[in-house]
Amino acid sequence: MASVVVEKHGRTYRLPTGLFIANQFVPATSGRTFKTIDPSTGGVITEVHEASAVDVDIAVQAATQALSVWQNILASERAKYLWKLADLIEQHKQELAELESLDNGKTVKDALGDVDGIIEVYRYFAGWTDKLAGQTLDIDPDMHAYTRIQPLGVIGQIIPWNYPLSMQAWKLAPALACGNTVVMKTSEKTPLSGLKLCELIVAAGFPAGVVNVLSGFGDTCGAAIARHPKIAKVAFTGSTAVGKKIMQMAAESNLKKVGLELGGKSPNIVYPDADLDKAVSDCHDGIFDNMGQNCCAGSRVYVHEKIHDEFVDKFIAKLSANKVGNPRDPETTHGPVVDQLQFDNVMKFIHLGKAEGAKLMHGGRRIGTAGFFIEPTLFTDVKPDMRIYKEEIFGPVVCVVKFSTEEDVLALANDTEYGLAAAVHTNDLKRAVRMEKALQAGSVWINCYNLTWPQLPFGGFKQSGIGRELGEYGLREYTRKYAIQQNVQVDSELTGAQR
């Protein structure tokens, strides 16, 4: 087994570093490794093996061989594997959360919440394994017509670095519940928690080859997954720019099915009749959870002119109470961004906002000299043509914009290439219904923000992606549907339309 023992921040961890193929951690065929970085210090945690196209092909072979085993297990038995995995995650919750924090930078407290969430995801989809049913259709007395639901086969999955364990669960659980096998690429920025979970997959008894997890880079490992002719579907979460490349590669290879959960620039709209303190809290958490590194971050906050100034004052007070620092400190509210590249990109947008004439009301500076810490940042007087208003920053930066009418704010909120999420804060039920129907977003929250549940589908419109994750809608993304017609007429000729 390719693994190392590392000591970080007073804790000792045994970390698998190999490629997880057919229930074994193996070295990359090239022998190449790459470093993974602690965002709180900028120092190296360890090195992991780097998958190439050759390794992807080996993993696909293992997943293909495992299909016959996994699909011939009783559906109710597949559920037991997923339940067992959820139980093991619960037993190893603290260690997984600490590794997530170490590699990603989020607070341990937030990572523990993420782990609680993935336990529920695995258990929810475990309940679906024996409930995937087709339809019997009453078309003609002489015909028995029905549909049948089957798994797609080998699934390629590419997950991001902002919620490594959550995104792994959102993709693995429904694919496995349907009877597929998986080749997954984790982010090169955050490979450690996903590899650690693979130890639990082995402990849960999953047959070899059902789950294969590779560490690597997008232009090699990710591209090989997107182009592989034996992969039936590729599911990707990440930027819109990369999603377009994934879609093109899938089309140029075997026209495989594609699922894309991409970027966002989500609006958060606050009316005068809202509970103002709660709206401030929801808008704050909606952008600054995970240091703004969230595809559905509410980075455009629209506040009615009657309450705009009071809202901004309360928002600044909320920001001033934050504690940015050591993610292992229980008092810390915000950790660092994930790496130097992300840090530089966020700081670039902060400088752009000031240069374009937006008013910096809070934050905007680096904290300390080690690690990648940025003060949560608030801009007002933001205009629709400014880049901080239009572009996804993926960091702790929010724009607060004043509005006067419902028509105006709807036009502003929908004037974007994205359509992932939105929220409305109001106690007027009729207005809430009007708004949720008019907002062009896959998820709309009313008097809350950024709540996701295993039972509810998640995904966007426009350039925020294709398809859905979670819920029954997300499950069926991993199936193919057959239509069967059986002639049950015995003695007489068929009549009517051609059958």
Side-chain angles (χ1 to χ4, degrees), residues 192-338:
L192 297 182
S193 57
L195 287 173
K196 193 67 178 179
L197 188 130
C198 292
E199 291 184 339
L200 305 184
I201 287 172
V202 175
F206 280 82
V210 170
V211 178
N212 306 273
V213 176
L214 309 177
S215 308
F217 293 84
D219 57 354
T220 50
C221 180
I225 289 172
R227 292 186 182 278
H228 203 286
K230 291 187 178 179
I231 287 179
K233 173 184 174 173
V234 59
F236 169 78
T237 295
S239 72
T240 296
V242 175
K244 291 178 179 179
K245 293 179 181 179
I246 295 287
M247 197 169 185
Q248 183 176 357
M249 288 185 279
E252 290 174 347
S253 52
N254 59 336
L255 205 64
K256 59 176 63 66
K257 186 174 182 179
V258 174
L260 303 174
E261 197 268 278
L262 307 176
K265 192 72 177 176
S266 300
N268 219 333
I269 301 167
V270 185
Y271 279 95
D273 64 329
D275 179 330
L276 190 56
D277 289 335
K278 184 177 187 306
V280 167
S281 180
D282 288 343
C283 290
H284 171 277
D285 295 349
I287 174 60
F288 294 118
D289 274 358
N290 211 39
M291 285 302 285
Q293 300 167 132
N294 188 346
C295 55
C296 59
S299 53
R300 294 182 295 151
V301 176
Y302 298 96
V303 184
H304 194 275
E305 59 188 5
K306 290 183 179 179
I307 57 168
H308 174 271
D309 293 350
E310 183 182 3
F311 178 94
V312 170
D313 289 343
K314 288 178 175 288
F315 205 102
I316 292 171
K318 180 82 171 173
L319 288 170
S320 300
N322 288 330
K323 179 180 178 181
V324 181
N326 178 2
R328 291 158 294 281
D329 183 345
E331 300 301 315
T332 296
T333 57
H334 298 83
V337 296
V338 73

Side-chain angles (χ1 to χ4, degrees), residues 319-368:
L319 288 170
S320 300
N322 288 330
K323 179 180 178 181
V324 181
N326 178 2
R328 291 158 294 281
D329 183 345
E331 300 301 315
T332 296
T333 57
H334 298 83
V337 296
V338 73
D339 65 2
Q340 186 70 55
L341 182 67
Q342 194 66 14
F343 176 90
D344 291 343
N345 186 64
V346 173
M347 294 305 296
K348 176 194 76 174
F349 274 104
I350 291 172
H351 294 316
L352 274 171
K354 292 188 286 186
E356 289 180 326
K359 187 175 181 180
L360 179 63
M361 299 295 291
H362 186 275
R365 296 173 297 182
R366 177 174 191 158
I367 297 176

Side-chain angles (χ1 to χ4, degrees), residues 19-174:
L19 310 177
F20 184 71
I21 301 175
N23 281 10
Q24 299 290 325
F25 291 98
V26 299
T29 53
S30 67
R32 296 181 63 178
T33 61
F34 64 93
K35 297 177 173 116
T36 185
I37 304 299
D38 177 353
S40 70
T41 66
V44 176
I45 302 170
T46 189
E47 295 189 18
V48 299
H49 287 264
E50 178 185 337
S52 66
V54 174
D55 299 303
V56 170
D57 197 53
I58 293 170
V60 171
Q61 291 177 34
T64 302
Q65 291 171 4
L67 275 173
S68 60
V69 176
W70 190 236
Q71 292 180 2
N72 285 319
I73 291 174
L74 285 174
S76 57
E77 290 297 311
R78 286 203 301 270
K80 293 178 183 178
Y81 289 100
L82 290 166
W83 271 100
K84 178 64 174 176
L85 178 58
D87 290 344
L88 288 168
I89 292 170
E90 195 165 42
Q91 293 169 25
H92 292 81
K93 173 179 168 179
Q94 185 68 32
E95 182 182 24
L96 288 169
E98 289 179 10
L99 281 179
E100 189 90 327
S101 172
L102 177 65
D103 211 15
N104 166 276
K106 67 179 66 188
T107 66
V108 173
K109 178 174 60 180
D110 286 348
L112 284 166
D114 290 352
V115 177
D116 282 337
I118 74 168
I119 292 167
E120 294 307 310
V121 168
Y122 284 110
R123 286 175 176 163
Y124 171 77
F125 283 109
W128 266 107
T129 58
D130 58 357
K131 299 173 184 67
L132 279 167
Q135 298 173 303
T136 300
L137 303 169
D138 187 5
I139 295 173
D140 187 298
D142 296 324
M143 299 295 294
H144 177 42
Y146 59 97
T147 62
R148 182 162 51 84
I149 307 298
Q150 288 287 104
L152 290 169
V154 177
I155 307 296
Q157 298 178 329
I158 303 171
I159 63 172
W161 48 263
N162 56 335
Y163 291 94
L165 285 170
S166 297
M167 295 299 97
Q168 186 178 46
W170 283 27
K171 286 182 167 52
L172 273 184

